Amino acid sequence: MAYDKFTLLTSSAVPMPIENVDTDQIIPARFLKATERKGFGDNLFRDWRYNADNTPKRDFVLNNPIYTGKILVGGKNFGSGSSREHAAWAIYDYGFRCVVSSFFADIFKNNSLNIGILPVQVSPAFLDRIFRAIEADPKAELEVNLQEQTITILATGERESFEINSYKKHNLMNGYDDIDYLQSMKEDIKAFADKSVY
Amino acid sequence: MSTAPATLFDKVWDSHVVRKIEGGPDVLFIDRHFIHEVTSPVAFLGLEGRRLKVMFPEKTFATADHNTPTINQHLPVEDPLSANQLKALEVNAGKYGISHWGLGNPKNGIVHVVGPENGITLPGMTIVCGDSHTSTHGAFGAIAFGIGTSEVEMVLSSQCIMQPKPKKMRINVNGKLGKGLTPKDVVLYIISKLTAAGATGYFVEFAGEVFRNMSMEGRMTVCNMSIEMGARGGMIAPDETTFSYIKGREKAPAGAAWDKALAYWKTLPTEEGASFDKEYHFEAADIEPMITYGTNPGMGIGITQHIPVEDGGSKASYDKSLEYMGFHKEDAMLGKKVDYVFVGSCTNGRIEDFRAFASIVKDRKKADHVTAWIVPGSHIVEQQIKEEGILDILTAAGFQLRQPGCSACLAMNDDKIPAGKYAVSTSNRNFEGRQGPGARTMLASPLVAAAAAVTGVVTDPRTLMAE
């Protein structure tokens, strides 16, 4: 599925300083029953966000109107557990384009990159600084510059660089995906398959 | 020409690289692709949107498992959304010429149970599925891992995915497992030592005496849970145990093809002196029956131990976890009340698991207040349970056998643990709400599950076993 190009993102952020946020929290399994990719944002963090009677839980960050923005900042080991891409879809559909953490689970990171969400891995110390900046001012803005591979806390000017492989970076900046690439090398794949022992 | 000693992982990975992209991922050829009803529909929609075909339909296998009911499978599925997904899988498989073992098919069952038991999973293969527990198939010396739906679309359309090559880790466990210990205890022990993120970025090889002496069912349990320490996958070198398990299975090679395959498989094990990015050594003697007390699989302890005062992570996250479970620091696990027992899943839904469960419940009775869901991993396992007399033991002890599926492991069907209730579960995840909103899960082996089912509290299974 095509996604918007990602170059520069300047936005306030939603803080979620919890470790090991797993994909069952991001989107519980009972909401995986759609056969189309739509509406997943409504159930993002469903059981942390709503009570059993569907009323919003007041103390959950997504229900607090002072926190807004296109960047979600999570604790370490974000996105662990299931391979459900629905978790990344829910985050994207809700309106986030970037998730910041000090550590991501592998499959979640891949899924995010494949649908146009940028996972930005920062040092634990920098993650702490981001949380403190948002605590001091809920509207504090972060600037994520994909070209330069940097993330900056605009209020203080504190900056850190992040890693991304050049292939994925190129894809995100141009809105390309892996399927386009693989289609362009079908002949090589056919030749490889002919030699396969299985 | 001499080359550096190679690992099992390197041999399999490197022989599947179609192209290396400078500064990017490897394009990896995929030998076997499993699909199920939950993570495939959007991938097929994607194919249609781009007007692409399935490149090698004979390399993809479909089975329905995630949201199938575990009773009355002969009746129409009541939940319209589940029914719609099951229908979509059937239609898509039919349209693109993919083999499909739907509900009611005698080959139907959990994808990671039916692949191996039908000889689809073989050593040296690359295997993917839109499910993180695809790591199960690594037990055969295959590279197997879970993928997202975009990647399912890639494999359907090009038989390849694009992956950076993970780092390599080897985990050695030597010695002999004592009484009451199962492969589940071994892997829960390892995860408790490494933490739920301890192997992120790595592909793990399990090595040493404990795994060499383990059955294929046990190896599958171990590799299944490698994702629970964050690993991309886990694998065990193929040996005589592997070959004798595979031989004669429906889709396994036979005759001259068998001999040729066998000769190749024997070249796969890691060579002496090969290097790993990280290596751990554990002793079997240090392991006791395990149980989890928190909300990630790394939060496990020996069943006779007390809940620790901290887990090395942030205090807030730890406290949140214990609060969800309704447990307190320094509580003993033994004696904690159990409301539900679940035996099944791609982790512990194979014949050995039901044999283990039956060995404890035999000549005993299910505790009155416990609700038990005993769910075979496939119809073939269900049949074995009946043929071996295990069903009779279960029935005499007051248990009912359900029909195959993922069931209460992720509670997509009606098998949901109610809010606030405690379950001892042989599945793989104790995340908040995993087994139903508000459900409290303690992960354990089939023996610990059996001990809980007959006593109604967390019980050391060794106290119920003959000398």
Side-chain angles (χ1 to χ4, degrees), chain B residues 305-353:
Chain B
Q305 294 171 24
H306 293 234
I307 295 175
V309 292
E310 45 118 30
D311 74 341
S314 87
K315 185 178 180 299
S317 300
Y318 188 68
D319 290 350
K320 180 178 186 295
S321 182
L322 289 192
E323 188 190 332
Y324 179 85
M325 290 300 291
F327 288 163
H328 304 92
K329 293 166 188 174
E330 301 186 72
D331 278 2
M333 288 307 288
L334 288 176
K336 286 209 175 287
K337 193 183 171 212
V338 175
D339 307 298
Y340 282 75
V341 167
F342 171 57
V343 183
S345 84
C346 58
T347 311
N348 282 122
R350 298 181 184 81
I351 187 62
E352 271 193 2
D353 303 312

Short mmCIF file of all heavy atoms in Angstrom, two decimals, chain B residues 305-353:
data_model
loop_
_atom_site.label_atom_id
_atom_site.label_comp_id
_atom_site.label_asym_id
_atom_site.label_seq_id
_atom_site.Cartn_x
_atom_site.Cartn_y
_atom_site.Cartn_z
N GLN B 305 9.95 -20.79 43.96
CA GLN B 305 10.53 -19.51 44.36
C GLN B 305 9.46 -18.45 44.64
O GLN B 305 8.28 -18.67 44.39
CB GLN B 305 11.50 -19.02 43.27
CG GLN B 305 12.70 -19.94 43.14
CD GLN B 305 13.56 -19.60 41.94
OE1 GLN B 305 13.55 -18.48 41.45
NE2 GLN B 305 14.28 -20.59 41.45
N HIS B 306 9.95 -17.30 45.12
CA HIS B 306 9.05 -16.19 45.44
C HIS B 306 9.23 -15.08 44.41
O HIS B 306 10.29 -14.95 43.82
CB HIS B 306 9.37 -15.65 46.84
CG HIS B 306 9.05 -16.65 47.93
ND1 HIS B 306 8.23 -16.35 48.99
CD2 HIS B 306 9.41 -17.95 48.08
CE1 HIS B 306 8.11 -17.42 49.77
NE2 HIS B 306 8.83 -18.40 49.23
N ILE B 307 8.19 -14.29 44.22
CA ILE B 307 8.25 -13.20 43.24
C ILE B 307 9.34 -12.22 43.65
O ILE B 307 9.38 -11.77 44.80
CB ILE B 307 6.87 -12.50 43.14
CG1 ILE B 307 5.85 -13.49 42.58
CG2 ILE B 307 6.96 -11.23 42.29
CD1 ILE B 307 4.42 -12.97 42.55
N PRO B 308 10.25 -11.88 42.74
CA PRO B 308 11.35 -11.00 43.11
C PRO B 308 10.88 -9.57 43.40
O PRO B 308 9.76 -9.19 43.03
CB PRO B 308 12.27 -11.03 41.88
CG PRO B 308 11.45 -11.58 40.77
CD PRO B 308 10.33 -12.36 41.36
N VAL B 309 11.76 -8.79 44.05
CA VAL B 309 11.37 -7.42 44.38
C VAL B 309 11.57 -6.47 43.20
O VAL B 309 11.03 -5.37 43.17
CB VAL B 309 12.13 -6.88 45.61
CG1 VAL B 309 11.69 -7.62 46.87
CG2 VAL B 309 13.63 -7.02 45.44
N GLU B 310 12.34 -6.90 42.20
CA GLU B 310 12.50 -6.10 40.99
C GLU B 310 12.96 -7.02 39.88
O GLU B 310 13.37 -8.15 40.13
CB GLU B 310 13.51 -4.96 41.21
CG GLU B 310 14.77 -5.38 41.94
CD GLU B 310 16.03 -5.20 41.11
OE1 GLU B 310 16.05 -4.29 40.27
OE2 GLU B 310 16.95 -5.99 41.30
N ASP B 311 12.87 -6.55 38.63
CA ASP B 311 13.24 -7.43 37.50
C ASP B 311 14.34 -6.83 36.63
O ASP B 311 14.60 -7.31 35.54
CB ASP B 311 12.02 -7.80 36.66
CG ASP B 311 11.53 -6.67 35.78
OD1 ASP B 311 11.88 -5.50 36.06
OD2 ASP B 311 10.80 -6.95 34.82
N GLY B 312 14.97 -5.77 37.11
CA GLY B 312 16.05 -5.16 36.34
C GLY B 312 15.57 -4.10 35.36
O GLY B 312 16.36 -3.34 34.83
N GLY B 313 14.26 -4.03 35.12
CA GLY B 313 13.69 -2.99 34.26
C GLY B 313 13.24 -1.81 35.10
O GLY B 313 13.63 -1.69 36.26
N SER B 314 12.41 -0.94 34.53
CA SER B 314 11.98 0.23 35.29
C SER B 314 10.98 -0.20 36.37
O SER B 314 10.20 -1.13 36.20
CB SER B 314 11.34 1.27 34.38
OG SER B 314 9.96 1.02 34.20
N LYS B 315 11.05 0.48 37.51
CA LYS B 315 10.20 0.16 38.65
C LYS B 315 8.73 0.36 38.29
O LYS B 315 7.87 -0.45 38.65
CB LYS B 315 10.60 1.05 39.83
CG LYS B 315 9.86 0.71 41.11
CD LYS B 315 10.30 1.58 42.28
CE LYS B 315 9.53 1.21 43.54
NZ LYS B 315 8.08 1.39 43.43
N ALA B 316 8.44 1.43 37.56
CA ALA B 316 7.05 1.73 37.21
C ALA B 316 6.44 0.61 36.37
O ALA B 316 5.31 0.17 36.61
CB ALA B 316 6.97 3.06 36.46
N SER B 317 7.22 0.12 35.38
CA SER B 317 6.70 -0.95 34.52
C SER B 317 6.53 -2.24 35.32
O SER B 317 5.56 -2.97 35.13
CB SER B 317 7.65 -1.19 33.34
OG SER B 317 7.76 -0.01 32.57
N TYR B 318 7.46 -2.50 36.24
CA TYR B 318 7.38 -3.71 37.05
C TYR B 318 6.17 -3.67 37.98
O TYR B 318 5.40 -4.62 38.08
CB TYR B 318 8.68 -3.86 37.87
CG TYR B 318 8.80 -5.18 38.60
CD1 TYR B 318 8.97 -6.37 37.90
CD2 TYR B 318 8.74 -5.24 39.99
CE1 TYR B 318 9.08 -7.58 38.56
CE2 TYR B 318 8.85 -6.45 40.66
CZ TYR B 318 9.02 -7.62 39.94
OH TYR B 318 9.12 -8.82 40.60
N ASP B 319 5.98 -2.53 38.63
CA ASP B 319 4.84 -2.39 39.54
C ASP B 319 3.51 -2.49 38.79
O ASP B 319 2.56 -3.10 39.28
CB ASP B 319 4.92 -1.04 40.28
CG ASP B 319 6.07 -1.01 41.28
OD1 ASP B 319 6.67 -2.08 41.53
OD2 ASP B 319 6.37 0.09 41.80
N LYS B 320 3.47 -1.92 37.59
CA LYS B 320 2.26 -1.97 36.77
C LYS B 320 1.91 -3.42 36.44
O LYS B 320 0.75 -3.83 36.49
CB LYS B 320 2.51 -1.16 35.48
CG LYS B 320 1.35 -1.12 34.50
CD LYS B 320 1.73 -0.24 33.30
CE LYS B 320 0.57 -0.03 32.34
NZ LYS B 320 0.11 -1.24 31.68
N SER B 321 2.96 -4.18 36.14
CA SER B 321 2.79 -5.57 35.78
C SER B 321 2.23 -6.39 36.96
O SER B 321 1.26 -7.14 36.82
CB SER B 321 4.15 -6.11 35.34
OG SER B 321 4.05 -7.43 34.94
N LEU B 322 2.83 -6.22 38.14
CA LEU B 322 2.36 -6.97 39.32
C LEU B 322 0.95 -6.53 39.71
O LEU B 322 0.12 -7.35 40.12
CB LEU B 322 3.31 -6.77 40.51
CG LEU B 322 4.67 -7.44 40.41
CD1 LEU B 322 5.37 -7.41 41.77
CD2 LEU B 322 4.60 -8.88 39.92
N GLU B 323 0.66 -5.25 39.54
CA GLU B 323 -0.68 -4.76 39.87
C GLU B 323 -1.72 -5.41 38.96
O GLU B 323 -2.78 -5.84 39.40
CB GLU B 323 -0.73 -3.23 39.73
CG GLU B 323 -2.02 -2.65 40.24
CD GLU B 323 -2.18 -1.17 39.90
OE1 GLU B 323 -1.15 -0.47 39.76
OE2 GLU B 323 -3.34 -0.75 39.76
N TYR B 324 -1.37 -5.51 37.67
CA TYR B 324 -2.29 -6.17 36.73
C TYR B 324 -2.55 -7.61 37.16
O TYR B 324 -3.68 -8.10 37.11
CB TYR B 324 -1.70 -6.13 35.31
CG TYR B 324 -2.61 -6.81 34.30
CD1 TYR B 324 -3.65 -6.12 33.69
CD2 TYR B 324 -2.44 -8.16 33.98
CE1 TYR B 324 -4.50 -6.75 32.79
CE2 TYR B 324 -3.28 -8.80 33.09
CZ TYR B 324 -4.30 -8.09 32.50
OH TYR B 324 -5.15 -8.72 31.62
N MET B 325 -1.48 -8.29 37.58
CA MET B 325 -1.60 -9.70 37.97
C MET B 325 -2.27 -9.87 39.34
O MET B 325 -2.68 -10.97 39.70
CB MET B 325 -0.22 -10.37 37.99
CG MET B 325 0.42 -10.57 36.63
SD MET B 325 -0.55 -11.61 35.51
CE MET B 325 -0.42 -13.23 36.29
N GLY B 326 -2.33 -8.80 40.13
CA GLY B 326 -2.86 -8.93 41.49
C GLY B 326 -1.91 -9.69 42.40
O GLY B 326 -2.33 -10.34 43.35
N PHE B 327 -0.61 -9.61 42.08
CA PHE B 327 0.42 -10.28 42.88
C PHE B 327 1.27 -9.24 43.61
O PHE B 327 1.23 -8.05 43.29
CB PHE B 327 1.35 -11.10 41.97
CG PHE B 327 0.73 -12.35 41.39
CD1 PHE B 327 1.32 -12.98 40.29
CD2 PHE B 327 -0.44 -12.90 41.91
CE1 PHE B 327 0.76 -14.14 39.74
CE2 PHE B 327 -1.01 -14.05 41.37
CZ PHE B 327 -0.40 -14.67 40.28
N HIS B 328 2.03 -9.71 44.60
CA HIS B 328 2.89 -8.81 45.37
C HIS B 328 4.31 -9.34 45.39
O HIS B 328 4.54 -10.55 45.34
CB HIS B 328 2.37 -8.68 46.80
CG HIS B 328 0.96 -8.22 46.85
ND1 HIS B 328 -0.10 -9.09 46.87
CD2 HIS B 328 0.44 -6.97 46.80
CE1 HIS B 328 -1.23 -8.40 46.86
NE2 HIS B 328 -0.94 -7.11 46.80
N LYS B 329 5.25 -8.41 45.53
CA LYS B 329 6.65 -8.80 45.64
C LYS B 329 6.81 -9.76 46.82
O LYS B 329 6.19 -9.57 47.86
CB LYS B 329 7.51 -7.54 45.87
CG LYS B 329 7.51 -6.64 44.65
CD LYS B 329 8.05 -5.25 44.94
CE LYS B 329 7.81 -4.38 43.70
NZ LYS B 329 8.17 -2.98 43.91
N GLU B 330 7.64 -10.75 46.62
CA GLU B 330 7.96 -11.76 47.64
C GLU B 330 6.85 -12.76 47.91
O GLU B 330 6.97 -13.60 48.79
CB GLU B 330 8.46 -11.10 48.94
CG GLU B 330 9.70 -10.25 48.69
CD GLU B 330 10.32 -9.69 49.96
OE1 GLU B 330 10.92 -10.48 50.70
OE2 GLU B 330 10.20 -8.47 50.18
N ASP B 331 5.74 -12.70 47.16
CA ASP B 331 4.72 -13.76 47.24
C ASP B 331 5.34 -15.08 46.79
O ASP B 331 6.12 -15.11 45.85
CB ASP B 331 3.57 -13.50 46.24
CG ASP B 331 2.54 -12.51 46.73
OD1 ASP B 331 2.72 -11.98 47.85
OD2 ASP B 331 1.58 -12.27 45.98
N ALA B 332 4.90 -16.18 47.43
CA ALA B 332 5.23 -17.51 46.91
C ALA B 332 4.29 -17.81 45.75
O ALA B 332 3.13 -17.39 45.77
CB ALA B 332 5.05 -18.56 47.99
N MET B 333 4.77 -18.50 44.72
CA MET B 333 3.88 -18.90 43.62
C MET B 333 3.08 -20.14 44.01
O MET B 333 1.92 -20.28 43.65
CB MET B 333 4.68 -19.16 42.34
CG MET B 333 5.23 -17.89 41.68
SD MET B 333 3.97 -16.63 41.37
CE MET B 333 3.06 -17.37 40.01
N LEU B 334 3.72 -21.05 44.75
CA LEU B 334 3.02 -22.27 45.16
C LEU B 334 1.79 -21.90 45.98
O LEU B 334 1.86 -21.03 46.85
CB LEU B 334 3.94 -23.17 46.00
CG LEU B 334 5.06 -23.88 45.25
CD1 LEU B 334 5.95 -24.65 46.23
CD2 LEU B 334 4.51 -24.82 44.18
N GLY B 335 0.67 -22.53 45.68
CA GLY B 335 -0.54 -22.30 46.45
C GLY B 335 -1.44 -21.20 45.89
O GLY B 335 -2.55 -20.99 46.38
N LYS B 336 -0.97 -20.47 44.86
CA LYS B 336 -1.83 -19.41 44.29
C LYS B 336 -3.02 -20.07 43.59
O LYS B 336 -2.87 -21.05 42.87
CB LYS B 336 -1.03 -18.55 43.31
CG LYS B 336 -0.08 -17.61 44.02
CD LYS B 336 0.15 -16.35 43.21
CE LYS B 336 1.02 -15.34 43.95
NZ LYS B 336 0.32 -14.67 45.05
N LYS B 337 -4.19 -19.49 43.79
CA LYS B 337 -5.41 -20.06 43.24
C LYS B 337 -5.42 -20.01 41.71
O LYS B 337 -4.98 -19.03 41.11
CB LYS B 337 -6.62 -19.31 43.79
CG LYS B 337 -7.92 -20.05 43.51
CD LYS B 337 -9.13 -19.26 44.02
CE LYS B 337 -10.40 -19.94 43.51
NZ LYS B 337 -11.48 -19.00 43.24
N VAL B 338 -5.93 -21.05 41.11
CA VAL B 338 -6.03 -21.14 39.65
C VAL B 338 -7.50 -21.35 39.27
O VAL B 338 -8.16 -22.23 39.82
CB VAL B 338 -5.17 -22.32 39.13
CG1 VAL B 338 -5.34 -22.50 37.63
CG2 VAL B 338 -3.70 -22.10 39.48
N ASP B 339 -8.00 -20.51 38.34
CA ASP B 339 -9.39 -20.63 37.90
C ASP B 339 -9.51 -21.40 36.58
O ASP B 339 -10.49 -22.08 36.35
CB ASP B 339 -10.00 -19.24 37.71
CG ASP B 339 -9.83 -18.37 38.94
OD1 ASP B 339 -10.36 -18.74 39.99
OD2 ASP B 339 -9.14 -17.32 38.83
N TYR B 340 -8.52 -21.20 35.72
CA TYR B 340 -8.57 -21.81 34.38
C TYR B 340 -7.25 -22.51 34.08
O TYR B 340 -6.19 -22.07 34.51
CB TYR B 340 -8.79 -20.72 33.30
CG TYR B 340 -10.23 -20.27 33.20
CD1 TYR B 340 -10.77 -19.44 34.17
CD2 TYR B 340 -11.04 -20.71 32.16
CE1 TYR B 340 -12.10 -19.04 34.10
CE2 TYR B 340 -12.38 -20.32 32.08
CZ TYR B 340 -12.89 -19.49 33.05
OH TYR B 340 -14.20 -19.11 32.97
N VAL B 341 -7.34 -23.56 33.29
CA VAL B 341 -6.14 -24.23 32.79
C VAL B 341 -6.32 -24.39 31.29
O VAL B 341 -7.37 -24.86 30.82
CB VAL B 341 -5.94 -25.61 33.47
CG1 VAL B 341 -4.88 -26.42 32.73
CG2 VAL B 341 -5.53 -25.42 34.93
N PHE B 342 -5.30 -23.94 30.54
CA PHE B 342 -5.35 -24.10 29.08
C PHE B 342 -4.15 -24.95 28.64
O PHE B 342 -3.00 -24.60 28.92
CB PHE B 342 -5.31 -22.74 28.39
CG PHE B 342 -5.13 -22.80 26.89
CD1 PHE B 342 -6.03 -23.52 26.10
CD2 PHE B 342 -4.08 -22.16 26.26
CE1 PHE B 342 -5.87 -23.60 24.71
CE2 PHE B 342 -3.91 -22.23 24.87
CZ PHE B 342 -4.81 -22.95 24.10
N VAL B 343 -4.44 -26.06 27.97
CA VAL B 343 -3.37 -26.89 27.39
C VAL B 343 -3.56 -26.88 25.89
O VAL B 343 -4.62 -27.28 25.39
CB VAL B 343 -3.41 -28.33 27.92
CG1 VAL B 343 -2.24 -29.14 27.35
CG2 VAL B 343 -3.37 -28.36 29.43
N GLY B 344 -2.56 -26.41 25.17
CA GLY B 344 -2.67 -26.37 23.72
C GLY B 344 -1.73 -25.33 23.16
O GLY B 344 -0.72 -24.99 23.80
N SER B 345 -2.01 -24.83 21.95
CA SER B 345 -1.27 -23.79 21.23
C SER B 345 -0.11 -24.38 20.42
O SER B 345 0.25 -25.55 20.57
CB SER B 345 -0.72 -22.69 22.16
OG SER B 345 0.50 -23.08 22.75
N CYS B 346 0.50 -23.53 19.59
CA CYS B 346 1.63 -23.96 18.78
C CYS B 346 2.85 -24.24 19.65
O CYS B 346 3.82 -24.83 19.20
CB CYS B 346 1.96 -22.93 17.70
SG CYS B 346 2.33 -21.28 18.33
N THR B 347 2.79 -23.81 20.92
CA THR B 347 3.90 -24.07 21.84
C THR B 347 3.80 -25.47 22.45
O THR B 347 4.79 -26.21 22.47
CB THR B 347 3.90 -23.02 22.98
OG1 THR B 347 3.80 -21.73 22.41
CG2 THR B 347 5.14 -23.11 23.83
N ASN B 348 2.62 -25.82 22.94
CA ASN B 348 2.44 -27.09 23.65
C ASN B 348 1.14 -27.77 23.25
O ASN B 348 0.35 -28.17 24.11
CB ASN B 348 2.44 -26.86 25.17
CG ASN B 348 3.82 -26.66 25.77
OD1 ASN B 348 4.10 -25.64 26.39
ND2 ASN B 348 4.70 -27.64 25.58
N GLY B 349 0.93 -27.92 21.96
CA GLY B 349 -0.30 -28.58 21.48
C GLY B 349 -0.02 -29.86 20.72
O GLY B 349 -0.82 -30.28 19.88
N ARG B 350 1.15 -30.47 21.00
CA ARG B 350 1.53 -31.70 20.28
C ARG B 350 1.34 -32.92 21.18
O ARG B 350 1.15 -32.79 22.38
CB ARG B 350 2.96 -31.58 19.77
CG ARG B 350 3.10 -30.43 18.78
CD ARG B 350 4.50 -30.26 18.21
NE ARG B 350 4.49 -29.07 17.36
CZ ARG B 350 4.58 -27.84 17.83
NH1 ARG B 350 4.74 -27.63 19.11
NH2 ARG B 350 4.51 -26.80 17.00
N ILE B 351 1.44 -34.09 20.59
CA ILE B 351 1.07 -35.31 21.30
C ILE B 351 1.81 -35.48 22.62
O ILE B 351 1.22 -35.86 23.63
CB ILE B 351 1.23 -36.57 20.38
CG1 ILE B 351 0.66 -37.81 21.09
CG2 ILE B 351 2.67 -36.78 19.93
CD1 ILE B 351 -0.81 -37.73 21.41
N GLU B 352 3.11 -35.16 22.64
CA GLU B 352 3.88 -35.31 23.89
C GLU B 352 3.31 -34.49 25.03
O GLU B 352 3.42 -34.86 26.19
CB GLU B 352 5.31 -34.82 23.66
CG GLU B 352 6.20 -35.89 23.17
CD GLU B 352 7.67 -35.48 23.25
OE1 GLU B 352 8.00 -34.38 23.73
OE2 GLU B 352 8.47 -36.30 22.81
N ASP B 353 2.77 -33.32 24.66
CA ASP B 353 2.23 -32.43 25.69
C ASP B 353 1.00 -33.04 26.35
O ASP B 353 0.80 -32.91 27.56
CB ASP B 353 1.90 -31.08 25.06
CG ASP B 353 3.12 -30.46 24.38
OD1 ASP B 353 4.19 -30.45 25.02
OD2 ASP B 353 3.02 -30.03 23.22
#
